[in-house]
Structures are given as structure tokens and as C-alpha cells.
């Protein structure tokens, strides 16, 4: 529950701090796990969202804050090793539901190309913390493992304004990399997470950006 309160507080602070020349983005996130994370859960997820606020420092550059949520889950029948884990040890077999919840709390710098009121491309780099909850359900048993991870998230995208409106269509792609922290649910010290996101939604400008 604490993560929900922290996220709400930081979103509120970011919105009130960027009261002038603010671009607010609200998007639906489609996630694809890669690398080590793909070995635990392979399915593309459609359960996610992102909220971000950017304050323009000049016509082209902005600083901002981003948070959100992604849930990766799938049903698996492959045995999973828990040797050396914090909660148990051994090998589990049977029907499993594997999931990873990711909650980013990031700050970012972005550069926007083009003129105000036109379609604008952007590139940016976000950095901060990821709270990641790894979960395994086997029958009536549940195993949880959670850690805070330092992470990076480079991204690029387009902001396409509607004529005569401060609302724009937002499309972006982001690569999330949460560095190793703690151990996995199975006890491995190789505990980094990485996934791609496609973000589709809307941008709302406090004035022409």
C-alpha cells in the first residue's frame, strides 16, 4: 500500500510544481519483457499505464516526472527452481501463475523537435527508481519477492496536436532497464529487469508548447 501513497504524492508534487508551461501525458502502455525477465514471463502485456508531466525550460527542452504501472503475467507449467530463495527452497512443478508488477518513479529530460502547434518528435532519458514485485502462485501457495531498483528509461516518440486545441495525440516507445538489486524469487543474485513499452494516449498542454 505504501507504494500507492508515494506515487500519488509524487504525482501531485509534479503537477503543482509544473503549473506553468506544463505538458501532461496520460497513456496506455503495452509491455514486452526481454532478456532475463523474458525467462520468467514471456507474454506481451496490455495491462499498464503511464502518467507524466513535463515543464518546458525553453521552446525545445523540458524537465519532468513520470510514474505508472505495468503488470506482466502468464500461466506456466514448467518447473521452477527456488533453491536458496528467501521464502523456500527446492523445485516447484504444477500449474503456476507468474507475474511481475513494475512501478517506476522517474525524472527525465526531453528534447522536442519542430515548432509549436505542429507535429513534434521528441527524445528523452528518464532515471530514478523502480519498485518491482515478483510473484508466483502455485495452487493455494503464493510466493512474493519485492525490491527497489535504480533504473534508466530512454524513450522517443511523437506528439500530434489536434487543430485548434491544446490536446494532442501521444505515441512513444520506451526501453526500461532496472539494475540488479537484491535477489530473485528463486534466490538468484542476477536480479535485473528489462522490458519495452509502446505508449498510446493523449497530451494536454497548459498553453501552446
Amino acid at each position: 500500500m505504501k507504494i500507492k501513497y508515494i506515487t500519488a504524492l509524487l504525482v501531485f508534487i509534479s503537477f503543482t510544481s509544473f503549473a506553468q508551461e506544463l505538458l501532461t501525458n496520460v497513456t496506455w502502455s503495452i509491455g514486452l519483457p526481454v532478456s532475463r525477465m523474458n525467462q520468467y514471463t514471456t507474454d506481451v502485456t496490455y495491462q499498464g499505464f503511464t502518467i507524466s508531466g513535463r515543464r518546458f525550460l525553453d521552446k525545445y527542452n523540458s524537465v519532468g516526472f513520470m510514474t505508472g504501472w505495468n503488470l506482466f503475467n502468464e500461466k506456466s507449467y514448467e518447473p521452477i527452481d527456488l533453491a536458496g530463495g528467501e521464502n523456500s527452497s527446492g523445485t516447484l512443478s504444477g500449474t503456476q501463475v507468474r507475474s511481475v508488477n513494475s512501478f517506476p518513479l522517474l525524472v527525465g529530460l526531453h528534447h522536442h523537435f519542430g515548432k509549436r502547434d505542429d507535429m513534434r518528435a521528441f527524445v528523452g532519458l528518464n532515471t530514478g527508481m523502480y519498485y518491482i514485485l515478483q510473484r508466483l502462485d502455485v495452487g493455494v501457495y503464493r510466493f512474493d519477492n519485492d525490491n527497489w531498483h535504480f533504473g534508466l528509461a530512454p524513450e522517443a516518440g511523437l506528439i500530434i496536436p489536434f487543430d485548434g486545441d491544446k490536446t494532442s495525440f501521444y505515441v512513444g516507445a520506451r526501453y526500461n532497464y532496472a539494475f540488479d538489486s537484491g535477489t530473485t524469487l528463486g534466490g538468484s543474485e542476477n536480479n535485473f529487469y528489462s522490458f519495452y513499452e509502446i505508449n498510446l494516449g493523449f497530451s494536454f498542454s497548459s498553453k501552446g508548447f
Side-chain angles (χ1 to χ4, degrees):
M1 294 298 292
K2 290 183 179 179
I3 185 65
K4 296 180 180 180
Y5 294 118
I6 293 172
T7 301
L9 177 61
L10 290 175
V11 170
F12 174 77
I13 291 172
S14 68
F15 274 48
T16 55
S17 298
F18 301 155
Q20 301 298 320
E21 299 182 69
L22 170 68
L23 183 67
T24 303
N25 310 303
V26 180
T27 63
W28 168 48
S29 297
I30 303 168
L32 173 65
V34 294
S35 189
R36 191 199 67 80
M37 184 173 171
N38 181 257
Q39 299 172 13
Y40 184 72
T41 174
T42 61
D43 290 353
V44 173
T45 179
Y46 300 94
Q47 301 180 74
F49 70 90
T50 298
I51 300 174
S52 63
R54 301 178 191 172
R55 180 183 179 184
F56 278 82
L57 305 174
D58 53 38
K59 291 182 179 181
Y60 303 103
N61 299 295
S62 66
V63 60
F65 172 81
M66 185 198 79
T67 188
W69 169 69
N70 291 93
L71 171 61
F72 300 86
N73 65 349
E74 70 172 74
K75 185 177 289 187
S76 176
Y77 303 95
E78 296 181 3
I80 185 170
D81 291 328
L82 294 176
E86 191 175 293
N87 298 313
S88 64
S89 61
T91 301
L92 288 176
S93 60
T95 303
Q96 308 160 30
V97 178
R98 303 180 182 185
S99 65
V100 175
N101 284 269
S102 172
F103 301 88
L105 299 171
L106 309 176
V107 294
L109 294 171
H110 293 80
H111 180 79
H112 300 74
F113 302 91
K115 299 179 181 180
R116 291 183 178 183
D117 302 323
D118 290 336
M119 181 175 70
R120 305 190 75 179
F122 67 85
V123 294
L125 178 64
N126 304 282
T127 185
M129 301 300 295
Y130 289 80
Y131 173 76
I132 295 181
L133 170 64
Q134 183 185 22
R135 174 167 289 169
L136 174 66
D137 290 308
V138 184
V140 297
Y141 298 100
R142 169 168 288 181
F143 305 90
D144 286 340
N145 183 63
D146 62 325
N147 292 284
W148 284 95
H149 301 252
F150 173 73
L152 297 173
E155 65 177 325
L158 290 172
I159 298 174
I160 307 170
F162 301 130
D163 289 339
D165 201 337
K166 294 181 180 180
T167 302
S168 303
F169 179 67
Y170 180 106
V171 56
R174 181 183 303 119
Y175 174 65
N176 297 270
Y177 188 93
F179 288 89
D180 177 56
S181 177
T183 62
T184 65
L185 187 146
S188 171
E189 294 183 356
N190 189 15
N191 192 28
F192 70 91
Y193 292 84
S194 55
F195 60 94
Y196 289 103
E197 278 180 273
I198 299 296
N199 295 292
L200 304 172
F202 299 95
S203 295
F204 307 94
S205 178
S206 61
K207 53 184 178 181
F209 64 92

